[in-house]
Amino acid sequence: MFSRLGSPLAIGPVELPNRIVSTAHQTTLVHEHLPNEDFVAYHEARARGGVGLIVLEAAAIHASGLLTSHTIGGYLPTVVDGYRRVAAAVQPHGTRLFVQLFHGGREQIASAPRAPALAPSAVPSARFRTEPKAARADELEEIVAGFALGAELAAEGGLDGVEVSAAHRYLIEQLFDPALNRREDAWSDGSAFLLAVLRAIRGSAPTLALGVRVSGDSPHGRAIAEVAISDGVDYVSVALGESSSYLGSVGIVPPAPVPEGVVAEHAAAFRLGPPVIATSRVVDPERAEALLEAGVADAVGMTRALIADPEMPAKAFAGNARSVLVCIGCNTCIAHYHAGTPIGCTVNPRTGRERTVPPLGREPKGLRVVVAGGGPAGLQAAADAADLGHDVVLLERGDRLGGQLLLAERSPGGAEMAGRFLELLDRRVTAGGVRVDLSTEATPEVVAALDPDVVIVATGAAPHVPDLPLAGIEAQQAWILLAGEVPTGRRIVVVDWGGDPSGLDAAELLAAAGNAVTLAVASVTVGEAVHQYRRNLCLQRLYRAGVEILHHRELVGAANGAAELRNVFARELHEHVEADLLVLAQGRVPVNDLAEALRELALRVEEVGDCLSPRSLEEATLEASVAVRRLSVVA
Ligand SMILES: Cc1cc2nc3c(=O)[nH]c(=O)nc-3n(C[C@H](O)[C@H](O)[C@H](O)COP(=O)(O)O)c2cc1C
């Protein structure tokens, strides 16, 4: 089992103990451009879990290349101390440690005040709306020197290797792209720049392994790899996507339902000599082993898989792959990066909190825990409480576990994500020996009769019913539709307030079932509360399905078979849209009568998730995990 994945691999002067790689990813565990203590703990957890190689996140090699205020300053002398602390935590576990050396060129994610953007030529970039100046030749030379300095500091910090970012249409790829490099000087040739960078690095840090990262789906990826290989790089890391466009950026961290292992079709073309690391949506060790067996790559990046479960390699190699907390492709991790908050993970609330949220050990004194509600918060609470050794009863009033995950599971965008998470939670609850009572309303009497030491209330949410005049049209909640029969052949208007994804999910589902769908959205952008990569793919599917999108329209009423919509900015503008069904996605309200009634019975109560106020899956699992860890402390 996993004989290939578990075998060592030589990368230049360095031997990896196995072929699972945590590729470069921004953690936002960086303060004043230096790694903080949480950063060290985060990577130590992954090294302890058995990953073969960690490539630390993009470290700017020059101040002009900082993407955000949380980018590591790989040019700062003080970074050496940070590297040393990470190396001291990671390398004793046998994991090898590289850092990615980076310059974003015209790409800048930071908000104002932004530094001036530098690029090969003055070509604006759409996604982050940067308008760079063309770098002077001497500025590009300074950047080459920055790569040399970055590598020297990495060597001084005790790292094993460096990787040059030439992927994602950042500076080096920009230099290879004739649409972006209109120079007429020596740097009109991207190869010349890359060779100068590689040689400068070899000159300043000759003992380090040296690799290059390219985007396998870029028209320039192969040329970049060939130049790098001609100069003797020790490995090629194949990623996907590019930063400058909405759709291209989705490929950088492709969410579900992008097919798993999507990198396979691109990576094989890069097997040109040195070892290839292939990365993107490889979630299971089984799939990683299959990629190696098929000869697609020599090692596999499993970055989000490790964000979700740092122990994944150790579990897989110990024959325990079924207990892995599997990545569901929800992209909470990259959503945190874009929001400027420390890395987090929906399926693993400890991610990014390794120093503050303790692992689940066995409690010496098991408690009788009753969990009311079998949605994601209740399931997470039940699974975690069972792992801690408590005696758990889970009450669910429906005839299936899952709560809102069951709604998400119906939609094209949510099916894989919700399905995987449900499977994971279900497996954990079963393995933990939780008693599950379905079709059981958690009334105060039912709960009290179970004689609990503590009750975890996770009763979730219900759709908000707007106080609007809606007579004269058939209206239905998006939730009801997602939970039941889907009509066909009708003219339907979905009115979406722009928050939770039920309106988008319903619109997609209805369009796929052959209805003529208009989606009226009240927020500034469609899917404003959904992470941009998932939102972009959702928009792609909506447009392809022929859904008509009306922006900035809120529902004010309905009569005579037409919905009345108002422009949220120019409120005097009203219009009537005919429909034979109006689908409402107007927000949610918490469902929580139980907690108060239980307190009156003098029972100890913890409330978690949407019953406190409806939010995302992430808060549901986080609050459940934190509440469960509190149980014995105050018992
Ligand atoms: C939060 C986050 C930050 C990332 N930052 C970087 C980065 O600094 N440099 C880079 O080359 N790729 C970056 N990536 C892309 C990953 O290295 C990887 O290619 C991507 O997550 C797809 O692989 P996976 O499906 O195994 O997660 C980032 C990904 C995530 C999730």
Side-chain angles (χ1 to χ4, degrees):
M1 196 70 176
F2 305 124
S3 58
R4 289 175 182 78
L5 207 54
S7 65
L9 173 68
I11 291 200
V14 170
E15 186 172 271
L16 311 187
N18 61 59
R19 295 168 185 235
I20 300 179
V21 180
S22 171
T23 61
H25 60 287
Q26 313 267 351
T27 55
T28 323
L29 303 173
V30 173
H31 182 63
E32 292 185 348
H33 303 296
L34 298 171
N36 66 20
E37 286 312 307
D38 290 323
F39 183 101
V40 176
Y42 173 84
H43 287 295
E44 181 180 14
R46 273 117 198 115
R48 188 186 296 278
V51 64
L53 169 65
I54 291 174
V55 182
L56 297 177
E57 63 199 73
I61 48 71
H62 191 269
S64 61
L66 293 167
L67 267 182
T68 73
S69 58
H70 300 290
T71 306
I72 291 182
Y75 56 90
L76 297 170
T78 41
V79 82
V80 170
D81 177 55
Y83 288 154
R84 284 195 181 135
R85 282 183 290 119
V86 187
V90 162
Q91 287 161 335
H93 297 285
T95 302
R96 310 314 294 256
L97 190 61
F98 296 0
V99 66
Q100 184 178 76
L101 301 180
F102 172 90
H103 193 292
R106 67 179 186 154
E107 297 302 315
Q108 279 191 349
I109 299 179
S111 43
R114 281 177 166 183
L118 276 188
S121 303
V123 183
S125 183
R127 181 163 156 247
F128 295 116
R129 291 166 292 279
T130 49
E131 297 154 297
K133 75 157 193 163
R136 293 189 313 269
D138 64 293
E139 285 173 322
L140 288 174
E141 274 143 31
E142 217 179 277
I143 288 170
V144 172
F147 275 100
L149 174 63
E152 192 184 325
L153 297 175
E156 221 181 303
L159 305 194
D160 301 301
V162 292
E163 170 179 290
V164 172
S165 167
H168 302 141
R169 232 174 171 207
Y170 293 125
L171 179 66
I172 292 180
E173 194 177 338
Q174 288 161 25
L175 281 149
F176 272 81
D177 184 341
L180 303 182
N181 184 350
R182 302 174 185 169
R183 304 178 72 89
E184 289 177 352
D185 63 3
W187 303 124
S188 63
D189 175 10
S191 313
F193 188 83
L194 178 57
L195 288 172
V197 165
L198 295 173
R199 288 168 190 167
I201 290 175
R202 286 269 190 235
S204 69
T207 59
L208 294 186
L210 172 57
V212 67
R213 194 164 212 215
V214 298
S215 285
D217 53 353
S218 156
H220 313 290
R222 168 96 182 209
I224 295 172
E226 283 173 1
V227 171
I229 291 167
S230 76
D231 203 54
V233 288
D234 299 314
Y235 74 98
V236 176
S237 172
V238 179
L240 298 178
E242 59 100 7
S243 172
S244 68
S245 68
Y246 292 114
L247 207 52
S249 61
V250 171
I252 302 178
V253 189
V258 173
E260 270 184 76
V262 57
V263 67
E265 64 190 274
H266 302 286
F270 291 84
R271 298 210 70 193
L272 303 167
V276 169
I277 302 172
T279 309
S280 280
R281 285 225 78 212
V282 184
V283 173
D284 303 312
E286 288 82 4
R287 190 173 293 270
E289 179 77 11
L291 286 179
L292 296 181
E293 192 174 348
V296 165
D298 302 280
V300 185
M302 301 184 73
T303 303
R304 280 171 294 171
L306 288 153
I307 290 173
D309 193 344
E311 302 285 325
M312 179 269 291
K315 287 178 180 172
F317 297 141
N320 202 8
R322 277 203 36 90
S323 70
V324 167
L325 301 176
V326 68
C327 167
I328 60 172
C330 69
N331 274 13
T332 290
C333 46
I334 186 80
H336 279 224
Y337 171 58
H338 289 139
T341 53
I343 192 162
C345 176
T346 295
V347 305
N348 185 355
R350 286 199 74 226
T351 292
R353 301 183 181 90
E354 284 77 9
R355 285 189 330 132
T356 48
V357 176
L360 292 168
R362 295 294 278 190
E363 291 291 343
K365 179 174 173 293
L367 302 173
R368 177 96 164 146
V369 179
V370 172
V371 180
L379 283 164
Q380 178 84 23
D384 282 4
D387 277 359
L388 280 165
H390 298 307
D391 174 20
V392 186
V393 180
L394 175 60
L395 307 176
E396 165 55 42
R397 77 170 159 198
D399 59 4
R400 279 185 70 194
L401 293 172
Q404 289 172 68
L405 285 173
L406 294 173
L407 307 181
E409 206 182 17
R410 295 289 303 281
S411 78
E416 183 189 334
M417 188 185 83
R420 266 186 182 274
F421 199 24
L422 253 179
E423 198 183 308
L424 169 66
L425 289 168
D426 213 31
R427 178 160 47 73
R428 290 189 61 211
V429 160
T430 306
V434 173
R435 179 180 129 192
V436 177
D437 291 359
L438 294 175
S439 307
T440 305
E441 183 80 38
T443 62
E445 297 72 34
V446 166
V447 172
L450 291 166
D451 193 21
D453 294 305
V454 59
V455 187
I456 299 180
V457 174
T459 40
H464 167 59
V465 180
D467 185 15
L468 294 172
L470 297 180
I473 201 163
E474 186 187 341
Q476 196 177 57
Q477 288 287 351
W479 275 43
I480 305 293
L481 207 137
L482 287 165
E485 286 279 298
V486 179
T488 56
R490 303 186 73 184
R491 164 133 193 66
I492 300 177
V493 176
V494 179
V495 280
D496 181 0
W497 73 300
D500 71 287
S502 62
L504 301 180
D505 288 348
E508 275 201 62
L509 190 63
L510 289 165
N515 297 286
V517 179
T518 299
L519 174 66
V521 187
S523 48
V524 172
T525 59
V526 175
E528 206 157 294
V530 179
H531 178 251
Q532 53 179 290
Y533 296 169
R534 288 180 52 219
R535 174 204 65 201
N536 298 349
L537 290 182
C538 177
L539 279 164
Q540 181 183 66
R541 291 189 302 269
L542 289 171
Y543 281 120
R544 285 183 174 162
V547 173
E548 183 194 7
I549 301 177
L550 300 178
H551 296 271
H552 314 145
R553 312 292 212 290
E554 63 186 352
L555 180 69
V556 287
N560 306 322
E564 184 180 353
L565 307 177
R566 175 171 66 189
N567 188 299
V568 298
F569 297 112
R571 304 183 84 190
E572 72 283 8
L573 299 181
H574 286 231
E575 70 202 285
H576 294 87
V577 182
E578 282 185 16
D580 41 46
L581 179 64
L582 178 66
V583 174
L584 303 169
Q586 298 292 302
R588 298 168 291 174
V589 293
V591 172
N592 194 357
D593 301 330
L594 184 62
E596 210 36 55
L598 294 175
R599 284 195 190 98
E600 278 168 21
L601 295 177
L603 287 171
R604 183 176 158 207
V605 176
E606 293 278 353
E607 294 156 283
V608 295
D610 283 359
C611 74
L612 285 167
S613 124
R615 286 150 296 152
S616 73
L617 204 48
E618 184 190 348
E619 289 90 353
T621 55
L622 174 62
E623 284 169 8
S625 282
V626 170
V628 165
R629 282 170 169 85
R630 258 197 316 261
L631 294 183
S632 310
V633 180
V634 265

